[in-house]
Amino acid sequence: MKTYEQTAETVLARVRSYEQSSVRRRNRFLITAVPVCVVVLIVGALLLTDLTGITIDISPKKTYISDPIPVNTTTETTVPPVTTTTETITEAPVTETAPAFVYDPDNIVDGLPVIDPGFEFGAAGAGIAGFIPDNGIVPDGIELFPVYRNLSYHDGAGISVKLEKSELMAIAEDIAGRLGLTISGTETERFGDIVGYNSDHHPEEMLDLIYDVKAYCTDGTVINMNGYGNWWVIFNGDDGVALPDGIKQITDDNTEQLMTALLAEYSALFGYNDPGWYLSDRYEYEENGNHHYSYIFTVYEKSDDPVTNAVNASLNNCDIGIYGDDSECRLHLIGSFNAEGEWAEKVGDYPIITEEQALENLLAGKFISPMSQSYLDDHPIDPDSIVGTYFTYVSGESRDFYQPYYVFILPAEVFPDEWLNEKFYVPAVQEKYLWK
Amino acid sequence: MNDISESYRRFLEGDDSGLTEIIRECRDGLILYINLYVGNVHTAEELAEDTFVKLFIKKPKDKGGSSFRTWLYTIGRNTAIDYLRKNRSRNTVSSEELSELAADEEQLESACIKEERRRTVREAMKRLNPDYYRALWLVYFEDFDMKSAAKILGRTVHATQTLVYRARLALKEELEKEGFEYENL
């Protein structure tokens, strides 16, 4: 390896080289392009004014908003609880990078475009599964599930800015209105201050856009918005607010009562006609002899159609965050982190495999996990060690497609020498439709 | 204003020794952090160099505090992820190169982590989920506060707090397997 002095020498040489070439490029531009452009603009302006009488005006600043296509598949699918009505301009977001998978609508198998099974390094298979969510999605007997294409793909190196400050403020006002609160002040954060300076993904003109907005309400509630469209409400700073009905600790016996009360209290915020819910995550840890608890409940619009129900439960929902310790658990957060659904379009309804076939695929190594194949060759998965399975859509800004998976949970002890990854994702879409 | 900010200010004023000082202070930690993504310390060294070049070309305005290091690590992470995307089918390395990689990594770690106990912790962290490892590295080895770590990782502060809590729990289990007393950390 180089010494730090050698590294500094190389870096300095590259920086100076760039600066010199930049000066040369600028000089060439000034000598050649600028005079030509000036002449063209003057002639064009004169002609336009003479021939049409039109006065040349400065165009308004464009926003980076693509045409939103909701995830909705049927009329029963819910409308996201918070929406904006601002005029949109159909234009690819400038933060968008090329998808990892080259989507080819002409690559058709049995009438459906071939899709990417969804591997993204460090994303899909990197979850710890201490808790197995009972999301109520049962694919038994359902042959087709919709798949959506992410129209706003970017990798982990980018952030998409879809909404501008005025739209973020409008959503914050809407949320405050639904909660009966008054906004007393706002705080914004520049895109450039969040992402740093990365010219590969974020052109200079992006850096002054507003990405984060915090709206402070008079009662201490903070409404957070980001330029991608996610929003979340933090109640009473780090303290949260007391749970309804005097509930201090969450148990199997009072969960139904708690959720009924919370859904009633915040019904205006959610906007659901027939809300469903499930406990999507739960964990606890001990610190200095005190137990800390964290519960995430996911709420969504229920539907009699099982496919719509699955889509809403997985992709079109809100989260309720309740945290606390042995003394008391309190409501800290309600938010919607599924904005990507608004920047997606349906590709088609795809035939899926059964759970038994998914298990066969798992044992045949056809799953998504960061475990190395060579390791798995030596340590085959024991089907008897599987501790849980569930069916879910997986979304995220860095995924090409939002599609269903069977998730198999294996205890960490199966792989004592490797990472503690326990979730194994098997694509539910039949293999012939998956890109290889 | 911290030392790095002072060095950066001098670099912006034309004093190249400021750049050298920054690289002396930040290079090894940045390489180890990027290595958490790419898993090859030689590649990580090249990407760290690219990261410094990007930063010194852009010359962002430093607001003091930890913002400079936050930028550095954010760009380092982005650079690492770019590399992974462009090199999905990872190159295989020979057994000789593997030995050299391991030796260089160990040397770098020894230079960065003086305390034996912290090295033990890092060894245990290597067995964790990579997301956990990266979050713990930023918070406990690079001393980033939660907000800065969240910016670098591209997550919300709350999500980062949750990640770190879970990572600590997983680390505790790992350390307890070795008879290490976690509470004494």
Side-chain angles (χ1 to χ4, degrees):
Chain A
M1 291 186 70
K2 290 179 183 175
T3 62
Y4 80 85
E5 291 96 336
Q6 289 168 326
T7 301
E9 197 176 319
T10 309
V11 168
L12 194 59
R14 288 176 62 185
V15 171
R16 294 290 176 252
S17 170
Y18 175 87
E19 288 172 347
Q20 285 165 8
S21 65
S22 180
V23 169
R24 283 198 296 272
R25 280 198 305 273
R26 190 164 58 238
N27 288 344
R28 274 203 300 273
F29 177 77
L30 289 171
I31 291 168
T32 56
V34 171
V36 172
C37 289
V38 168
V39 170
V40 169
L41 283 172
I42 291 171
V43 171
L46 289 172
L47 281 173
L48 194 61
T49 307
D50 277 353
L51 296 176
T52 65
I54 296 171
T55 304
I56 298 173
D57 195 5
I58 300 170
S59 299
K61 185 182 176 186
K62 288 183 178 178
T63 56
Y64 302 103
I65 302 168
S66 64
D67 205 3
I69 302 174
V71 162
N72 300 353
T73 53
T74 72
T75 52
E76 287 186 11
T77 311
T78 60
V79 176
V82 176
T83 55
T84 58
T85 55
T86 314
E87 183 186 356
T88 59
I89 298 170
T90 302
E91 180 178 327
V94 296
T95 53
E96 192 172 276
T97 56
F101 170 73
V102 179
Y103 177 65
D104 179 5
D106 295 328
N107 185 4
I108 302 291
V109 173
D110 292 346
L112 288 168
V114 170
I115 64 168
D116 181 3
F119 177 79
E120 181 71 28
F121 181 86
I128 290 287
F131 180 75
I132 304 169
D134 181 13
N135 60 18
I137 305 175
V138 181
D140 296 355
I142 304 172
E143 294 180 355
L144 302 174
F145 272 87
V147 170
Y148 305 93
R149 183 178 175 228
N150 179 3
L151 296 180
S152 177
Y153 177 91
H154 67 74
D155 64 17
I159 296 177
S160 290
V161 182
K162 301 298 230 175
L163 302 171
E164 61 179 19
K165 185 183 174 185
S166 61
E167 294 168 302
L168 296 174
M169 289 307 305
I171 297 174
E173 290 282 357
D174 184 22
I175 292 171
R178 288 166 186 258
L179 291 170
L181 301 175
T182 304
I183 295 174
S184 56
T186 58
E187 182 182 303
T188 59
E189 194 162 17
R190 284 173 67 252
F191 182 76
D193 289 335
I194 295 169
V195 300
Y197 288 74
N198 185 344
S199 58
D200 293 344
H201 292 274
H202 306 127
E204 290 288 340
E205 62 264 31
M206 293 294 300
L207 299 178
D208 281 327
L209 293 177
I210 296 300
Y211 186 73
D212 275 338
V213 170
K214 280 186 170 61
Y216 295 92
C217 300
T218 49
D219 74 334
T221 301
V222 181
I223 300 167
N224 298 266
M225 289 290 316
N226 70 30
Y228 194 63
N230 292 327
W231 59 266
W232 60 103
V233 180
I234 304 286
F235 297 97
N236 197 23
D238 291 335
D239 295 330
V241 293
L243 297 176
D245 294 351
I247 293 173
K248 301 282 187 189
Q249 299 294 339
I250 300 174
T251 66
D252 289 344
D253 293 335
N254 66 14
T255 307
E256 186 78 40
Q257 178 195 355
L258 169 70
M259 289 309 296
T260 301
L262 283 174
L263 288 169
E265 188 170 343
Y266 296 99
S267 61
L269 178 61
F270 295 127
Y272 298 138
N273 294 316
D274 184 14
W277 62 268
Y278 60 93
L279 182 58
S280 51
D281 198 9
R282 187 193 75 205
Y283 72 95
E284 57 181 272
Y285 64 93
E286 188 181 327
E287 191 172 55
N288 301 324
N290 190 13
H291 282 87
H292 296 257
Y293 305 93
S294 171
Y295 301 86
I296 305 291
F297 291 94
T298 296
V299 299
Y300 61 97
E301 183 79 287
K302 279 199 292 191
S303 169
D304 293 335
D305 171 34
V307 174
T308 304
N309 206 56
V311 170
N312 285 352
S314 291
L315 292 174
N316 194 10
N317 51 40
C318 291
D319 286 337
I320 298 176
I322 296 172
Y323 319 120
D325 56 20
D326 286 331
S327 62
E328 185 180 5
C329 288
R330 294 165 71 86
L331 171 65
H332 281 252
L333 172 148
I334 292 178
S336 171
F337 301 96
N338 295 140
E340 57 263 35
E342 295 195 44
W343 324 116
E345 69 176 354
K346 183 176 171 181
V347 182
D349 292 314
Y350 284 73
I352 65 159
I353 58 178
T354 63
E355 185 175 328
E356 290 71 28
Q357 290 167 322
L359 177 59
E360 288 174 17
N361 285 352
L362 175 77
L363 299 177
K366 296 173 182 173
F367 54 79
I368 296 167
S369 166
M371 310 292 286
S372 68
Q373 189 57 54
S374 60
Y375 181 87
L376 291 164
D377 288 344
D378 298 333
H379 301 77
I381 292 172
D382 174 8
D384 292 335
S385 68
I386 295 170
V387 294
T389 308
Y390 63 97
F391 185 91
T392 187
Y393 276 76
V394 177
S395 62
E397 297 161 49
S398 58
R399 309 189 71 78
D400 295 291
F401 295 92
Y402 306 147
Q403 60 191 290
Y405 294 87
Y406 290 95
V407 185
F408 293 90
I409 314 294
L410 283 100
E413 291 74 22
V414 178
F415 305 108
D417 301 322
E418 277 270 350
W419 298 326
L420 287 173
N421 295 301
E422 297 168 321
K423 286 183 182 177
F424 291 76
Y425 290 79
V426 176
V429 169
Q430 288 183 7
E431 205 172 341
K432 64 181 176 182
Y433 300 103
L434 300 178
W435 181 66
K436 297 178 183 66
Chain B
M1 188 176 281
N2 58 30
D3 291 342
I4 294 175
S5 289
E6 175 60 25
S7 303
Y8 185 56
R9 185 188 60 76
R10 286 197 286 106
F11 167 71
L12 292 179
E13 290 172 355
D15 181 356
D16 290 344
S17 68
L19 178 146
T20 306
E21 287 167 13
I22 290 170
I23 290 176
R24 184 187 64 204
E25 290 301 314
C26 302
R27 188 193 76 143
D28 291 355
L30 183 64
I31 292 173
L32 286 174
Y33 179 63
I34 293 175
N35 189 42
L36 301 184
Y37 286 87
V38 299
N40 180 317
V41 74
H42 292 167
T43 303
E45 184 185 14
E46 290 171 15
L47 296 177
E49 192 174 294
D50 291 346
T51 303
F52 283 117
V53 170
K54 285 178 185 177
L55 194 70
F56 291 127
I57 283 174
K58 282 293 171 189
K59 297 186 179 69
K61 187 181 175 187
D62 187 23
K63 294 186 295 187
S66 62
S67 64
F68 181 86
R69 288 180 71 239
T70 306
W71 282 327
L72 185 68
Y73 276 69
T74 304
I75 296 172
R77 172 181 173 271
N78 293 346
T79 305
I81 291 173
D82 274 355
Y83 172 84
L84 289 172
R85 283 180 55 74
K86 291 170 186 166
N87 298 273
R88 280 190 149 194
S89 52
R90 293 186 214 171
N91 298 327
T92 52
V93 293
S94 65
S95 55
E96 291 81 12
E97 195 183 350
L98 269 177
S99 305
E100 194 186 334
L101 281 169
D104 282 346
E105 190 175 336
E106 196 177 329
Q107 187 187 355
L108 203 58
E109 283 182 10
S110 300
C112 268
I113 310 168
K114 303 290 184 196
E115 205 182 338
E116 179 62 33
R117 191 169 59 176
R118 284 167 72 87
R119 277 206 286 276
T120 308
V121 172
R122 179 171 156 86
E123 282 307 309
M125 282 164 60
K126 286 179 179 175
R127 295 191 291 275
L128 301 181
N129 172 308
D131 278 353
Y132 288 4
Y133 189 2
R134 292 163 193 154
L136 287 175
W137 177 261
L138 290 175
V139 174
Y140 293 113
F141 282 83
E142 296 293 336
D143 290 329
F144 281 107
D145 60 28
M146 221 44 99
K147 191 173 179 184
S148 299
K151 280 185 180 178
I152 294 168
L153 293 169
R155 294 170 182 258
T156 64
V157 174
H158 174 71
T160 305
Q161 283 172 330
T162 302
L163 188 70
V164 170
Y165 280 139
R166 288 181 156 215
R168 289 181 61 193
L169 194 66
L171 179 62
K172 180 185 173 185
E173 287 177 9
E174 278 301 306
L175 290 170
E176 282 177 350
K177 285 180 195 166
E178 300 175 10
F180 201 86
E181 289 186 34
Y182 180 75
E183 275 70 21
N184 291 340
L185 280 173

